[in-house]
Amino acid sequence: MVVDVPSTVVSFDYPRGVHLLNGLLKSHQKAFDADQLMESAKRRSGLSDFGDMFFVEPLQRLVRDINESCDFHPLGSFLYQQKIKLNLSNRLWSQYWLQREPAIEQKLPPALLITGLQRTGTTFLQRLLGSLPEFRGVISWEIVNPVPNSKRKHYFGKIQARLGHRALNYLSPQFRTIHSAEYNSLEEEVVLMEHSFMSSVIEASMHVPQYSRWLEQQDQRPAYEDLKMWLQLLLWRKQSQSHLLLKSPHHMEYLDTFTSIFPDVHIVQTHRTPVQTLGSFCSMVEEGRKVFQPNIDREQIGAHWLRKNQRLIQHCQSFKEKRPDMFTDISYSALIEDPIQVVKQIYDRLGLMWTEQHTTQALSYCQKHKKNKYGKHVYNLEKYGLSKAQVEYAFSDYLNNYQEYLA
């Protein structure tokens, strides 16, 4: 569908190969159809049982808004339809294995959840902790293929994830200067929640305002129960260490539901002033959307994520006031200046032993994964229609409550 292009929209050009593919795919581009996508997944897998059908309404809401609000280029439309089909195929295979392997539905180990606004060091902290022996995180390729997609328990996630990251780097080469997406690195488990079509990853990837507002009003319990099932499937494939390592800003909005599904959890909240984080994240959203959309409204991105991040902070703080004992607060500046001390603080809070071997492993990780590995990320608020004063006003309570962590 062709949509009106606001005056604040910027357009992007692509490599010659993308133009060629867009030309080839243009005549085949068609509207998204939930029923057709589900039928295609059934044909691809040879299976027909999706299990609990709660995901159908979110999928229908999503494809309706894509058709009404998104101006995908032909290759972007093709890629996202393939992504939906893969997620639906994974759902079918999950039911196949759940019915045949009772051991999958095991009790999960205690969890450490890292959360906080985007660009507050959550990825660095997650991957640093994931390099240590006590933590089992979710690897990027596992998210693509969390369940065997053949009756012989074959996994093809590494191949698919490698291809996906190569496509991302080709379509949006600046993305990895912002977020080092690598097929064999830890990634946010919230991407697994795209299988339920109830994930904020979706509204970061494209402009779907009606879907986003609808999602905020929904009971998230089915999506979190679904996430638990995916984590059980991953641990069935490869057992956990003493702690499951989870990470995403998404969970800030739904901590009541999250902790009802994962009650044995400790929460690490990272802090950095939104004046710095919001412009950085808007830049990341812009680069990610280039994969699917040639025209991007920067001011829409700024307005949406200003409101969304206010919501994340408010919901998180409301839960935290009820359960402060579940939290450890971490300053972004402290994490960058002395990551070993921060990680030792977390180990102490969890009652885990820290040894010289841990120090060696953590230092080795830090040496191999220095900041700006793929180049320096340059960004500013004004590009997204925001000002420092506007952001400080919007987050005034947060800035006052966490002054000691935001210096």
Side-chain angles (χ1 to χ4, degrees):
M1 177 180 178
V2 178
V3 297
D4 293 332
V5 179
S7 60
T8 55
V9 162
V10 292
S11 299
F12 300 98
D13 201 0
Y14 294 93
R16 184 168 179 269
V18 176
H19 288 292
L20 290 172
L21 286 170
N22 277 334
L24 291 170
L25 292 168
K26 187 174 183 179
S27 61
H28 300 285
Q29 189 175 6
K30 58 184 179 180
F32 285 55
D33 183 287
D35 291 335
Q36 290 180 8
L37 291 166
M38 291 171 66
E39 287 303 316
S40 179
K42 289 179 182 179
R43 289 194 299 272
R44 174 187 289 189
S45 63
L47 303 172
S48 60
D49 182 7
F50 283 106
D52 191 327
M53 300 295 282
F54 80 93
F55 70 90
V56 175
E57 184 181 5
L59 174 60
Q60 291 171 336
R61 295 269 183 173
L62 173 61
V63 300
R64 185 184 309 154
D65 206 5
I66 287 174
N67 290 332
E68 293 178 0
S69 305
C70 290
D71 60 335
F72 283 164
H73 52 72
L75 178 59
S77 177
F78 171 80
L79 290 174
Y80 202 74
Q81 293 206 42
Q82 294 305 308
K83 179 180 178 63
I84 291 176
K85 291 176 186 177
L86 176 59
N87 286 344
L88 289 168
S89 294
N90 285 340
R91 292 203 71 85
L92 290 164
W93 281 110
S94 73
Q95 296 307 304
Y96 176 87
W97 289 109
L98 282 167
Q99 291 168 15
R100 287 159 179 77
E101 299 284 347
I104 292 172
E105 298 187 70
Q106 61 189 288
K107 181 181 179 181
L108 292 175
L112 178 69
L113 169 63
I114 302 169
T115 195
L117 292 181
Q118 311 90 351
R119 317 303 296 159
T120 59
T122 55
T123 297
F124 174 62
L125 180 57
Q126 174 203 30
R127 293 179 181 176
L128 174 56
L129 284 167
S131 71
L132 301 173
E134 286 78 14
F135 294 97
R136 202 301 196 189
V138 180
I139 304 170
S140 185
W141 70 262
E142 292 180 315
I143 289 172
V144 176
N145 194 182
V147 61
N149 48 19
S150 81
K151 294 178 181 179
R152 295 183 180 180
K153 295 189 182 181
H154 289 164
Y155 285 87
F156 301 102
K158 287 186 179 180
I159 297 171
Q160 291 166 322
R162 275 186 171 181
L163 291 174
H165 287 151
R166 286 182 181 178
L168 174 62
N169 292 334
Y170 186 65
L171 291 163
S172 182
Q174 293 301 311
F175 188 86
R176 67 178 181 174
T177 68
I178 308 170
H179 178 72
S180 56
E182 299 167 339
Y183 82 97
N184 59 348
S185 292
L186 296 190
E187 198 49 83
E188 293 186 9
E189 72 287 340
V190 71
V191 185
L192 284 171
M193 297 176 77
E194 287 191 86
H195 287 89
S196 67
F197 306 100
M198 296 181 73
S199 169
S200 58
V201 173
I202 294 167
E203 61 191 292
S205 303
M206 64 195 75
H207 178 51
V208 279
Q210 297 174 64
Y211 165 83
S212 300
R213 292 286 187 146
W214 173 83
L215 184 62
E216 289 178 351
Q217 306 306 315
Q218 303 312 300
D219 178 7
Q220 299 293 318
R221 176 167 287 276
Y224 277 103
E225 289 176 340
D226 205 52
L227 174 61
K228 180 179 178 181
M229 180 267 291
W230 292 114
L231 294 171
Q232 288 172 325
L233 280 160
L234 289 177
L235 296 188
W236 169 60
R237 185 187 70 81
K238 181 183 177 183
Q239 284 300 311
S240 173
Q241 284 77 349
S242 64
H243 280 73
L244 188 60
L245 181 62
L246 305 176
K247 187 274 283 192
S248 179
H250 173 92
H251 304 311
M252 296 176 75
E253 193 170 356
Y254 307 113
L255 285 172
D256 278 309
T257 304
F258 181 97
T259 55
S260 70
I261 303 297
F262 304 99
D264 195 0
V265 62
H266 187 74
I267 303 167
V268 170
Q269 184 179 357
T270 51
H271 300 279
R272 187 184 183 191
T273 174
V275 173
Q276 295 176 326
T277 63
L278 190 55
S280 177
F281 183 65
C282 287
S283 175
M284 179 176 168
V285 169
E286 177 183 338
E287 290 297 325
R289 288 187 179 183
K290 287 181 185 180
V291 175
F292 307 111
Q293 299 175 249
N295 305 305
I296 295 172
D297 188 338
R298 286 174 173 164
E299 290 192 6
Q300 178 277 318
I301 290 174
H304 178 84
W305 287 100
L306 176 68
R307 186 193 70 83
K308 184 71 173 181
N309 280 5
Q310 284 180 286
R311 182 180 173 89
L312 294 179
I313 286 291
Q314 289 165 1
H315 281 252
C316 181
Q317 189 62 28
S318 176
F319 177 82
K320 192 174 189 178
E321 288 171 0
K322 294 182 291 186
R323 292 298 309 272
D325 56 298
M326 296 185 75
F327 285 79
T328 295
D329 292 296
I330 297 294
S331 161
Y332 173 81
S333 59
L335 175 62
I336 299 304
E337 290 168 12
D338 194 348
I340 305 303
Q341 186 58 40
V342 167
V343 173
K344 288 173 71 176
Q345 178 187 348
I346 293 170
Y347 265 63
D348 183 61
R349 187 64 189 269
L350 295 177
L352 298 173
M353 182 179 295
W354 185 269
T355 67
E356 286 302 316
Q357 184 179 355
H358 287 83
T359 301
T360 300
Q361 287 182 240
L363 286 172
S364 175
Y365 178 86
C366 292
Q367 285 296 318
K368 292 176 182 176
H369 300 85
K370 293 184 177 180
K371 193 174 181 180
N372 302 326
K373 178 180 178 180
Y374 293 109
K376 185 175 177 58
H377 177 208
V378 179
Y379 57 91
N380 61 69
L381 280 169
E382 290 73 19
K383 184 188 290 187
Y384 302 96
L386 302 172
S387 68
K388 178 181 178 183
Q390 182 182 7
V391 173
E392 287 179 338
Y393 178 78
F395 293 94
S396 56
D397 287 344
Y398 174 69
L399 292 170
N400 289 330
N401 291 337
Y402 292 94
Q403 288 183 37
E404 63 181 298
Y405 296 100
L406 301 173

